[in-house]
mmCIF file of all heavy atoms in Angstrom:
data_model
loop_
_atom_site.group_PDB
_atom_site.id
_atom_site.type_symbol
_atom_site.label_atom_id
_atom_site.label_comp_id
_atom_site.label_asym_id
_atom_site.label_seq_id
_atom_site.Cartn_x
_atom_site.Cartn_y
_atom_site.Cartn_z
ATOM 1 N N ALA A 280 15.943 67.690 228.865
ATOM 2 C CA ALA A 280 16.093 68.429 230.123
ATOM 3 C C ALA A 280 17.128 69.545 230.006
ATOM 4 O O ALA A 280 16.933 70.644 230.525
ATOM 5 C CB ALA A 280 16.478 67.480 231.260
ATOM 6 N N VAL A 281 18.227 69.289 229.320
ATOM 7 C CA VAL A 281 19.273 70.299 229.154
ATOM 8 C C VAL A 281 18.734 71.500 228.393
ATOM 9 O O VAL A 281 18.976 72.644 228.766
ATOM 10 C CB VAL A 281 20.511 69.711 228.436
ATOM 11 C CG1 VAL A 281 21.511 70.799 228.088
ATOM 12 C CG2 VAL A 281 21.168 68.659 229.302
ATOM 13 N N PHE A 282 17.963 71.248 227.343
ATOM 14 C CA PHE A 282 17.407 72.340 226.549
ATOM 15 C C PHE A 282 16.404 73.156 227.368
ATOM 16 O O PHE A 282 16.380 74.381 227.279
ATOM 17 C CB PHE A 282 16.753 71.807 225.272
ATOM 18 C CG PHE A 282 17.716 71.062 224.394
ATOM 19 C CD1 PHE A 282 17.627 69.689 224.258
ATOM 20 C CD2 PHE A 282 18.732 71.733 223.730
ATOM 21 C CE1 PHE A 282 18.523 68.999 223.460
ATOM 22 C CE2 PHE A 282 19.631 71.050 222.927
ATOM 23 C CZ PHE A 282 19.535 69.676 222.793
ATOM 24 N N ALA A 283 15.585 72.475 228.163
ATOM 25 C CA ALA A 283 14.614 73.174 229.003
ATOM 26 C C ALA A 283 15.331 74.041 230.037
ATOM 27 O O ALA A 283 14.935 75.188 230.280
ATOM 28 C CB ALA A 283 13.699 72.169 229.700
ATOM 29 N N LEU A 284 16.395 73.520 230.625
ATOM 30 C CA LEU A 284 17.157 74.273 231.617
ATOM 31 C C LEU A 284 17.834 75.481 230.979
ATOM 32 O O LEU A 284 17.770 76.597 231.506
ATOM 33 C CB LEU A 284 18.187 73.378 232.299
ATOM 34 C CG LEU A 284 19.065 74.039 233.349
ATOM 35 C CD1 LEU A 284 18.231 74.650 234.471
ATOM 36 C CD2 LEU A 284 20.068 73.041 233.900
ATOM 37 N N LYS A 285 18.476 75.276 229.829
ATOM 38 C CA LYS A 285 19.138 76.387 229.141
ATOM 39 C C LYS A 285 18.141 77.495 228.809
ATOM 40 O O LYS A 285 18.425 78.671 229.002
ATOM 41 C CB LYS A 285 19.801 75.909 227.844
ATOM 42 C CG LYS A 285 21.116 75.234 228.016
ATOM 43 C CD LYS A 285 21.688 74.879 226.642
ATOM 44 C CE LYS A 285 23.001 74.160 226.749
ATOM 45 N NZ LYS A 285 23.555 73.802 225.430
ATOM 46 N N ALA A 286 16.982 77.106 228.302
ATOM 47 C CA ALA A 286 15.964 78.093 227.938
ATOM 48 C C ALA A 286 15.500 78.877 229.157
ATOM 49 O O ALA A 286 15.324 80.099 229.098
ATOM 50 C CB ALA A 286 14.780 77.399 227.267
ATOM 51 N N ALA A 287 15.324 78.199 230.284
ATOM 52 C CA ALA A 287 14.889 78.878 231.504
ATOM 53 C C ALA A 287 15.954 79.854 232.003
ATOM 54 O O ALA A 287 15.650 80.971 232.416
ATOM 55 C CB ALA A 287 14.565 77.850 232.587
ATOM 56 N N VAL A 288 17.212 79.450 231.943
ATOM 57 C CA VAL A 288 18.313 80.307 232.404
ATOM 58 C C VAL A 288 18.478 81.508 231.473
ATOM 59 O O VAL A 288 18.691 82.636 231.934
ATOM 60 C CB VAL A 288 19.622 79.503 232.531
ATOM 61 C CG1 VAL A 288 20.809 80.412 232.776
ATOM 62 C CG2 VAL A 288 19.500 78.472 233.643
ATOM 63 N N GLU A 289 18.361 81.279 230.176
ATOM 64 C CA GLU A 289 18.531 82.367 229.208
ATOM 65 C C GLU A 289 17.458 83.444 229.341
ATOM 66 O O GLU A 289 17.697 84.596 229.008
ATOM 67 C CB GLU A 289 18.555 81.806 227.783
ATOM 68 C CG GLU A 289 19.853 81.100 227.467
ATOM 69 C CD GLU A 289 19.845 80.371 226.134
ATOM 70 O OE1 GLU A 289 18.837 80.453 225.394
ATOM 71 O OE2 GLU A 289 20.847 79.700 225.834
ATOM 72 N N LYS A 290 16.282 83.070 229.844
ATOM 73 C CA LYS A 290 15.223 84.065 230.054
ATOM 74 C C LYS A 290 15.640 85.099 231.091
ATOM 75 O O LYS A 290 15.159 86.216 231.097
ATOM 76 C CB LYS A 290 13.930 83.387 230.518
ATOM 77 C CG LYS A 290 13.142 82.742 229.425
ATOM 78 C CD LYS A 290 11.920 82.086 229.975
ATOM 79 C CE LYS A 290 10.691 82.912 229.677
ATOM 80 N NZ LYS A 290 9.457 82.239 230.075
ATOM 81 N N ASP A 291 16.526 84.714 231.998
ATOM 82 C CA ASP A 291 17.041 85.586 233.053
ATOM 83 C C ASP A 291 15.921 86.184 233.910
ATOM 84 O O ASP A 291 16.002 87.326 234.340
ATOM 85 C CB ASP A 291 17.923 86.693 232.460
ATOM 86 C CG ASP A 291 18.781 87.370 233.516
ATOM 87 O OD1 ASP A 291 19.190 86.681 234.470
ATOM 88 O OD2 ASP A 291 19.015 88.588 233.398
ATOM 89 N N THR A 292 14.880 85.415 234.140
ATOM 90 C CA THR A 292 13.775 85.892 234.974
ATOM 91 C C THR A 292 13.584 85.037 236.222
ATOM 92 O O THR A 292 12.722 85.341 237.038
ATOM 93 C CB THR A 292 12.448 85.902 234.188
ATOM 94 O OG1 THR A 292 12.178 84.589 233.716
ATOM 95 C CG2 THR A 292 12.498 86.867 233.031
ATOM 96 N N TYR A 293 14.383 83.991 236.367
ATOM 97 C CA TYR A 293 14.183 83.068 237.485
ATOM 98 C C TYR A 293 15.314 83.140 238.506
ATOM 99 O O TYR A 293 16.479 83.060 238.150
ATOM 100 C CB TYR A 293 14.061 81.628 236.977
ATOM 101 C CG TYR A 293 12.917 81.443 236.012
ATOM 102 C CD1 TYR A 293 13.143 81.077 234.696
ATOM 103 C CD2 TYR A 293 11.601 81.662 236.417
ATOM 104 C CE1 TYR A 293 12.095 80.925 233.804
ATOM 105 C CE2 TYR A 293 10.553 81.512 235.531
ATOM 106 C CZ TYR A 293 10.803 81.143 234.229
ATOM 107 O OH TYR A 293 9.763 81.000 233.353
ATOM 108 N N ALA A 294 14.929 83.283 239.768
ATOM 109 C CA ALA A 294 15.898 83.234 240.858
ATOM 110 C C ALA A 294 16.094 81.796 241.323
ATOM 111 O O ALA A 294 17.164 81.409 241.771
ATOM 112 C CB ALA A 294 15.434 84.100 242.025
ATOM 113 N N ILE A 295 15.021 81.008 241.212
ATOM 114 C CA ILE A 295 15.055 79.610 241.632
ATOM 115 C C ILE A 295 14.436 78.766 240.535
ATOM 116 O O ILE A 295 13.376 79.096 240.007
ATOM 117 C CB ILE A 295 14.269 79.394 242.945
ATOM 118 C CG1 ILE A 295 14.850 80.242 244.067
ATOM 119 C CG2 ILE A 295 14.253 77.916 243.336
ATOM 120 C CD1 ILE A 295 14.003 80.256 245.323
ATOM 121 N N ILE A 296 15.108 77.675 240.203
ATOM 122 C CA ILE A 296 14.571 76.707 239.257
ATOM 123 C C ILE A 296 14.563 75.358 239.953
ATOM 124 O O ILE A 296 15.619 74.809 240.276
ATOM 125 C CB ILE A 296 15.396 76.633 237.959
ATOM 126 C CG1 ILE A 296 15.415 77.991 237.261
ATOM 127 C CG2 ILE A 296 14.837 75.543 237.043
ATOM 128 C CD1 ILE A 296 16.337 78.058 236.055
ATOM 129 N N PHE A 297 13.370 74.857 240.232
ATOM 130 C CA PHE A 297 13.225 73.515 240.772
ATOM 131 C C PHE A 297 13.198 72.552 239.591
ATOM 132 O O PHE A 297 12.652 72.866 238.539
ATOM 133 C CB PHE A 297 11.921 73.372 241.566
ATOM 134 C CG PHE A 297 11.895 74.161 242.836
ATOM 135 C CD1 PHE A 297 11.152 75.326 242.936
ATOM 136 C CD2 PHE A 297 12.607 73.741 243.952
ATOM 137 C CE1 PHE A 297 11.119 76.058 244.108
ATOM 138 C CE2 PHE A 297 12.585 74.464 245.127
ATOM 139 C CZ PHE A 297 11.834 75.629 245.203
ATOM 140 N N MET A 298 13.796 71.386 239.766
ATOM 141 C CA MET A 298 13.771 70.350 238.731
ATOM 142 C C MET A 298 13.448 69.019 239.382
ATOM 143 O O MET A 298 13.964 68.726 240.468
ATOM 144 C CB MET A 298 15.128 70.229 238.026
ATOM 145 C CG MET A 298 15.573 71.456 237.280
ATOM 146 S SD MET A 298 17.163 71.200 236.444
ATOM 147 C CE MET A 298 16.601 70.356 234.958
ATOM 148 N N THR A 299 12.621 68.212 238.720
ATOM 149 C CA THR A 299 12.403 66.873 239.248
ATOM 150 C C THR A 299 13.752 66.148 239.246
ATOM 151 O O THR A 299 14.634 66.468 238.456
ATOM 152 C CB THR A 299 11.376 66.088 238.411
ATOM 153 O OG1 THR A 299 11.835 65.977 237.077
ATOM 154 C CG2 THR A 299 10.000 66.730 238.470
ATOM 155 N N GLU A 300 13.894 65.221 240.131
ATOM 156 C CA GLU A 300 15.186 64.535 240.278
ATOM 157 C C GLU A 300 15.659 63.886 238.976
ATOM 158 O O GLU A 300 16.856 63.894 238.682
ATOM 159 C CB GLU A 300 15.101 63.490 241.389
ATOM 160 C CG GLU A 300 15.007 64.121 242.754
ATOM 161 C CD GLU A 300 14.845 63.106 243.862
ATOM 162 O OE1 GLU A 300 14.149 62.092 243.662
ATOM 163 O OE2 GLU A 300 15.412 63.334 244.942
ATOM 164 N N GLU A 301 14.736 63.374 238.184
ATOM 165 C CA GLU A 301 15.129 62.767 236.902
ATOM 166 C C GLU A 301 15.719 63.809 235.954
ATOM 167 O O GLU A 301 16.744 63.577 235.322
ATOM 168 C CB GLU A 301 13.917 62.110 236.242
ATOM 169 C CG GLU A 301 13.448 60.867 236.958
ATOM 170 C CD GLU A 301 12.182 60.306 236.352
ATOM 171 O OE1 GLU A 301 11.280 61.088 235.997
ATOM 172 O OE2 GLU A 301 12.106 59.073 236.236
ATOM 173 N N MET A 302 15.070 64.964 235.862
ATOM 174 C CA MET A 302 15.561 66.032 234.989
ATOM 175 C C MET A 302 16.867 66.619 235.539
ATOM 176 O O MET A 302 17.767 66.966 234.795
ATOM 177 C CB MET A 302 14.521 67.148 234.828
ATOM 178 C CG MET A 302 13.221 66.694 234.253
ATOM 179 S SD MET A 302 13.414 65.978 232.623
ATOM 180 C CE MET A 302 11.903 65.056 232.494
ATOM 181 N N PHE A 303 16.929 66.712 236.858
ATOM 182 C CA PHE A 303 18.122 67.220 237.540
ATOM 183 C C PHE A 303 19.332 66.352 237.196
ATOM 184 O O PHE A 303 20.394 66.851 236.824
ATOM 185 C CB PHE A 303 17.856 67.235 239.047
ATOM 186 C CG PHE A 303 18.918 67.885 239.871
ATOM 187 C CD1 PHE A 303 18.928 69.258 240.045
ATOM 188 C CD2 PHE A 303 19.888 67.135 240.501
ATOM 189 C CE1 PHE A 303 19.895 69.865 240.826
ATOM 190 C CE2 PHE A 303 20.863 67.726 241.276
ATOM 191 C CZ PHE A 303 20.862 69.096 241.442
ATOM 192 N N ALA A 304 19.172 65.038 237.291
ATOM 193 C CA ALA A 304 20.267 64.112 237.006
ATOM 194 C C ALA A 304 20.647 64.148 235.528
ATOM 195 O O ALA A 304 21.831 64.086 235.177
ATOM 196 C CB ALA A 304 19.876 62.695 237.405
ATOM 197 N N ALA A 305 19.656 64.291 234.653
ATOM 198 C CA ALA A 305 19.916 64.282 233.213
ATOM 199 C C ALA A 305 20.631 65.539 232.723
ATOM 200 O O ALA A 305 21.210 65.536 231.648
ATOM 201 C CB ALA A 305 18.600 64.110 232.453
ATOM 202 N N SER A 306 20.608 66.591 233.520
ATOM 203 C CA SER A 306 21.208 67.860 233.085
ATOM 204 C C SER A 306 22.455 68.225 233.890
ATOM 205 O O SER A 306 22.805 69.392 234.006
ATOM 206 C CB SER A 306 20.171 68.983 233.200
ATOM 207 O OG SER A 306 19.769 69.134 234.541
ATOM 208 N N GLU A 307 23.146 67.240 234.407
ATOM 209 C CA GLU A 307 24.280 67.474 235.312
ATOM 210 C C GLU A 307 25.364 68.378 234.722
ATOM 211 O O GLU A 307 25.799 69.333 235.366
ATOM 212 C CB GLU A 307 24.897 66.147 235.744
ATOM 213 C CG GLU A 307 26.036 66.328 236.721
ATOM 214 C CD GLU A 307 26.587 65.016 237.233
ATOM 215 O OE1 GLU A 307 26.184 63.950 236.755
ATOM 216 O OE2 GLU A 307 27.441 65.080 238.133
#
């Protein structure tokens, strides 16, 4: 989950990133 979040943020194309609660908790 952390790697997926980092990759999404690094793209710098997203204003909003929704995450399932499990992924959200795992990437605190």
Side-chain angles (χ1 to χ4, degrees):
V281 172
F282 300 109
L284 179 58
K285 280 183 182 179
V288 170
E289 286 172 3
K290 281 179 104 174
D291 196 33
T292 58
Y293 301 116
I295 301 171
I296 300 173
F297 292 105
M298 297 182 82
T299 60
E300 289 177 323
E301 290 175 319
M302 301 300 161
F303 187 84
S306 62
E307 182 176 7

